[in-house]
Amino acid sequence: MLFPTFYLPWLGQGMSIALVAVVHVLISHGFAIGVVSIIVLLEHLALRRGDAELEGLAQNMLKPVVIIVTAVGAVTGAGIWFTVSVLAPGGIGYMLRVFFWPWFIEWMAFTLEVLVLLPYYFLWERMRAKQAGLHVALGWSYVAVAFASAFLISGILGFMLTPDGWVQNQRLVSAFFNPTFWPQLALRFLGGLAMGGLWSLAFVLFSRRIGADLRQRVMRLLGGWVLINGALCALAVWIYLGRIPQTYATHKIFAVLTSHLSQDAWLLWLGNILAALCIAAVALAAWLRWRRVALALIIPALILTAGLVSEFERAREFVRGPYLMPGYMYANQIPLAQSDYLDKHGFLAGAAWYQPQPPGLAPRAPAGHALFMANCGVCHTIGGLNDIRDRLKGRTQPSVTVMVRRTKQMVPFMPSFSGTPAEALTMAAYLYELSGERRSLEAVPPISRKGVGHE
Amino acid sequence: MNNLHDLLLAKPFGDPAMELILFGSFALHLLFVLLMLGTAMIAVFFFAHSWITGYRFELRWDKRVLRIHLALKSLAVVLGVAPLLIIQVLWSVPFLTAASIMAPYWLGLLGLMIFAFLSLDILGHKMDVHPVRHLIFGVLGLAALVAVPAVFTAVLSLMEHPDKWSLVAGRGFAAEPGLLFHWFMRYLHILGAAALFGGAFHYFFSTNGAQERHYHLSHWMVVATLFQVVAGMLLLVSVQERLTPAVITAVTVGVFAAMLLLGLAFYRNPEVDKRRMASVLVLLPVILVSMLLARQFLQHQAVAPMQAQLETRAREARQSLAPLQAAALQGFQAHLATVYDNGETIYANSCAFCHGQDGGGHGPEAASLIIPPEKLNAVRAQRRYLYQVVLKGVPGSGMPYFSVFDRDKLDSLLEYMNASFSLTAPPQPPAKPGDLAAAKRVFAGTCATCHGEQGQVSAFGADLRPAPPDLTRYGLTPQWAYAVITQGYNGTVMQPFNDLPEATRWGLVSLVASLRKEP
């Protein structure tokens, strides 16, 4: 408890970060990379063919994109960081130090991205007459900078799952160019391009300001674009999955289906196949210029794409299980070596923000509550998502104690308890009381427990 | 010592350089924040003004202002990345502590910013067609936007007062009137600066020389500067105990430049001197830099001693942790090598600590439990029944649910247990059948209360915690069944029936074996 960590009620830490992250990924990949690339491509083609109508379409598409990217995309991007800063301050504090330079360079990349996008947007009219080629070049340089910023982020994200050599040598190069770096970069960029194709297709299909002939031409282009980029992205995902250590990869079904549906893995495959088929079908329909079919399928395809993105991000975050930074820090932001230290010397003894009697808690609870929040609060809530009371329903007090001692061994994606055996008992007693099992036992009329005598 | 990570020690470079970069990158960020905020104020104010006075003269100008806002806000957001990065590395504990204490507001920033930016974009879209609707969006957007610096200034004010942390964490800002006053003045000072910088920016860069706008904006600048004088003095009062010569010098330079600016804006004579007015463009950076320097000096004073203390303790922490690192790393490698995708691994890790590696029910934790873990090598049950037990656990006992493993893994686990302990082998009748007639009588009179007449759990039994097993689907080896009947099952209502004649007990074993249905 280096920090007075704030625990978000009901939603919990992980889900809150995930929600912001998924919105950001949909926008940063789909719009900032995908749609803008398509706009630049369309403008480029228009310039080459002298096609003013096509250029007009490209320009029309840009305005909503700029508004969404600058108002929602950029803010949710910073928002992931903001959210993590208060929900996992220990983790972000360390990540920033390991990745100071990539992060710092990322600042320049972001700034450059904006500095290129703004003139591309604002000066379109002015550059049309004499500097159209320069304008297209500006567009392509935006795509290059966007790729650079995806490059930087991929290193950091990949590290969190496969730090590999860094664990031993602590070198930035090992951390950054980790085993999942290249496939993840490819899948994010290609996925962004494919998503951008779908969004652009939706724009072209629904827009009323676009001529039938132009629409047909652009539909064909976008259909092919989605098919090719989507297929390449799927290939990158497949390579990526192959690079994840088996220890983690084996959790991917549970990561997505959770304990509610973990026995029905077919749901996962069915969902993914349906999504892939739907996206392929809408792309094929666009390529074949079947506007009605494409119209019918485009909204489901976009929703399913958002589903695929959420699924990927959820699995990527979840499977590394007990670790926030494998080899260095547990998911509860306690470094591995420190956890061993705390097991001997006690958790609460040196906790900076531990109050023996915070307001609103029963007198016996504070120690157990503090231990629970620090050890388990990053994934479990009390009364919300992944409610610890549901998890312990039906358990006896001694078995709660045993489970606290054995978390990491029993469930491979849970970290081990940090604290002395006495503290483990304190937390177990608190959790048992919290689970309500004591009351439910007392609620059973005594006679029914004694009535089983024999003759 | 768990408040001591060795986290603080991993630094990219020395503190003075970090502070320098913090200063530079923050100044750049703040400049664009001020311009953005000021632009939003001007956009809404002048749009409302021209709408109220019925003098719709400059909609084109208003639109241009809003386009500039879009550009400024984009830059303000991305330029914030560097100062946020550096402050979180340079002053990790103070900054992240203050942010954590203010967490609900801090998280609220996301919503405020998205709402503000979208609303102001809406204001600019077809504003001439629906002025009222757009004005409402503009006012709401501006309100959300000006709330953003309120949160940032609160976090920074709190960060600079480590002695107030626990009080504010417990009882909120209201518990500290001095801090509240300091924050509020700091906040007002930001708003005033935004008005001034925004006004000056548009005076020079968006009016295209329109006299009327120049006239309005120079008044705007005069009012903003006067506001700054008042808010600035009160802000100084709030930090009076911490003033040092360096701070006073920086503030004096800033005040002097501000007075010059006030004079220039107040005595502006458009006919005479364009160049004189242009010197405002020099004065503004002087004001920004000197005031920010004063701010940085104060911040350093407030936070650096604490940071030094923390780093000393972090060094101690590193020393105490050093001997543990190798073992921790080994533990990690071992975990990485253990793949929970096969029954053998899952049993060894998730089951054996209670049930024992040999399935005899004597794992290392068995003694901690009141209800002894099942002696798996004596169980003879239907596979689907076992699957349900493993999946859902046994309420009222130590057996938890294992839906943390997907179907394939549980199947593999059952395969493994079956291969090792013959769990699903058919039930065997005992070597000596015993007194079946007596057993039937006892079963109907006693056992059936819980186990049900046909071995299916009775309604009464189903209410027990743990409930008895379903004897039509689950059984034990004859020896173990006899032992359970004789000794009872600890911690459950299955009590010892050792007063029954031995033949009756063996009879019960035969009877129970016959209740079991295939497969």
Side-chain angles (χ1 to χ4, degrees), chain A residues 7 57 84 97 190 248 252 294 304 418:
Chain A
Y7 292 94
L57 170 69
V84 176
R97 282 159 193 271
L190 293 164
Y248 303 145
K252 63 178 182 285
L304 288 168
S418 296

Side-chain angles (χ1 to χ4, degrees), chain B residues 440 443-459 471-472 511-512 514-515:
Chain B
K440 277 186 177 156
F443 193 91
T446 301
C447 310
T449 316
C450 302
H451 289 289
E453 280 168 24
Q454 302 305 317
Q456 281 160 325
V457 184
S458 68
L471 296 178
T472 63
L511 179 67
V512 168
S514 70
L515 294 173

Side-chain angles (χ1 to χ4, degrees), chain A residues 201 205 219 281-282 285-286 290-299:
Chain A
L201 191 58
L205 285 170
M219 272 170 69
V282 79
W290 294 346
R291 182 165 177 231
R292 289 222 177 130
V293 179
L295 265 175
L297 287 175
I298 186 72
I299 304 268

Side-chain angles (χ1 to χ4, degrees), chain A residues 2 97 247 250 262-263 394 409, chain B residues 3 89 92 336 387 396 403 409:
Chain A
L2 180 60
R97 282 159 193 271
T247 322
T250 188
S262 65
Q263 302 309 299
Q409 190 185 353
Chain B
N3 52 359
V89 173
S92 319
L336 212 55
Y387 171 71
S403 53
K409 291 175 183 160

Side-chain angles (χ1 to χ4, degrees), chain A residues 119-396:
Chain A
Y120 182 69
Y121 172 57
F122 283 119
L123 301 182
W124 194 308
E125 295 286 336
R126 208 176 295 175
M127 294 173 83
R128 176 175 285 145
K130 286 182 185 162
Q131 297 156 302
L134 188 66
H135 189 253
V136 173
L138 205 58
W140 285 123
S141 48
Y142 168 83
V143 176
V145 181
F147 179 79
S149 102
F151 183 92
L152 290 162
I153 279 293
S154 273
I156 301 172
L157 290 176
F159 165 79
M160 293 177 76
L161 183 58
T162 50
D164 217 48
W166 177 87
V167 173
Q168 267 86 28
N169 64 25
Q170 316 270 308
R171 284 175 57 221
L172 175 62
V173 178
S174 315
F176 193 85
F177 293 103
N178 58 77
T180 52
F181 173 76
W182 291 109
Q184 176 158 229
L185 176 61
L187 80 86
R188 284 186 186 278
F189 199 75
L190 293 164
L193 294 181
M195 264 194 275
L198 288 176
W199 280 113
S200 307
L201 191 58
F203 185 91
V204 171
L205 285 170
F206 288 110
S207 175
R208 271 180 247 151
R209 286 189 294 175
I210 171 173
D213 173 57
L214 178 66
R215 177 182 288 134
Q216 298 239 316
R217 279 189 291 141
V218 177
M219 272 170 69
R220 190 169 182 92
L221 176 79
L222 291 175
W225 172 281
V226 173
L227 277 176
I228 292 170
N229 287 304
L232 289 174
C233 175
L235 179 70
V237 171
W238 184 72
I239 297 173
Y240 174 85
L241 290 176
R243 298 267 175 98
I244 299 174
Q246 207 46 40
T247 322
Y248 303 145
T250 188
H251 303 322
K252 63 178 182 285
I253 293 171
F254 182 82
V256 181
L257 293 179
T258 75
S259 53
H260 295 289
L261 296 169
S262 65
Q263 302 309 299
D264 301 305
W266 58 271
L267 276 174
L268 183 69
W269 306 125
L270 183 73
N272 283 330
I273 290 167
L274 268 182
L277 283 180
C278 179
I279 293 165
V282 79
L284 203 65
W287 193 71
L288 294 172
R289 301 167 185 168
W290 294 346
R291 182 165 177 231
R292 289 222 177 130
V293 179
L295 265 175
L297 287 175
I298 186 72
I299 304 268
L302 283 170
I303 293 170
L304 288 168
T305 306
L308 287 178
V309 168
S310 315
E311 177 192 349
F312 175 78
E313 300 294 343
R314 157 80 184 177
R316 183 182 61 76
E317 286 287 333
F318 182 91
V319 294
R320 68 180 189 273
Y323 306 109
L324 182 70
M325 275 172 258
Y328 175 74
M329 188 182 266
Y330 283 125
N332 53 21
Q333 305 168 67
I334 300 174
L336 308 187
Q338 194 171 17
S339 174
D340 296 340
Y341 184 93
L342 298 175
D343 290 347
K344 291 195 198 80
H345 297 88
F347 188 98
L348 295 175
W353 284 92
Y354 169 56
Q355 289 174 286
Q357 185 54 69
L361 280 175
R364 282 172 54 197
H369 182 75
L371 288 164
F372 168 71
M373 287 324 251
N375 271 289
C376 326
V378 70
C379 301
H380 291 285
T381 66
I382 300 172
L385 278 183
N386 204 2
D387 189 349
I388 191 65
R389 293 180 302 190
D390 291 344
R391 298 290 163 255
L392 294 175
K393 198 182 270 171
R395 295 290 75 73
T396 59

Side-chain angles (χ1 to χ4, degrees), chain A residues 88-99:
Chain A
I92 192 76
Y94 200 81
M95 285 293 290
L96 291 174
R97 282 159 193 271
V98 176
F99 285 102

Side-chain angles (χ1 to χ4, degrees), chain A residues 20-160:
Chain A
V20 183
V22 166
V23 174
H24 176 66
V25 167
L26 288 174
I27 292 171
S28 67
H29 295 22
F31 287 86
I33 292 179
V35 181
V36 180
S37 299
I38 288 167
I39 289 170
V40 179
L41 178 71
L42 293 183
E43 192 201 1
H44 193 148
L45 293 176
L47 183 70
R48 273 222 325 238
R49 298 175 191 166
D51 185 341
E53 201 190 359
L54 184 60
E55 194 213 335
L57 170 69
Q59 194 186 3
N60 277 342
M61 282 167 69
L62 188 57
K63 185 175 183 182
V65 171
V66 168
I67 288 175
I68 291 172
V69 166
T70 58
V72 189
V75 175
T76 48
I80 300 174
W81 187 3
F82 273 56
T83 314
V84 176
S85 294
V86 291
L87 299 187
I92 192 76
Y94 200 81
M95 285 293 290
L96 291 174
R97 282 159 193 271
V98 176
F99 285 102
F100 182 84
W101 287 113
W103 221 295
F104 194 74
I105 299 167
E106 182 74 294
W107 166 61
M108 298 181 199
F110 285 151
T111 308
L112 204 58
E113 226 174 303
V114 171
L115 284 178
V116 179
L117 183 63
L118 290 176
Y120 182 69
Y121 172 57
F122 283 119
L123 301 182
W124 194 308
E125 295 286 336
R126 208 176 295 175
M127 294 173 83
R128 176 175 285 145
K130 286 182 185 162
Q131 297 156 302
L134 188 66
H135 189 253
V136 173
L138 205 58
W140 285 123
S141 48
Y142 168 83
V143 176
V145 181
F147 179 79
S149 102
F151 183 92
L152 290 162
I153 279 293
S154 273
I156 301 172
L157 290 176
F159 165 79
M160 293 177 76

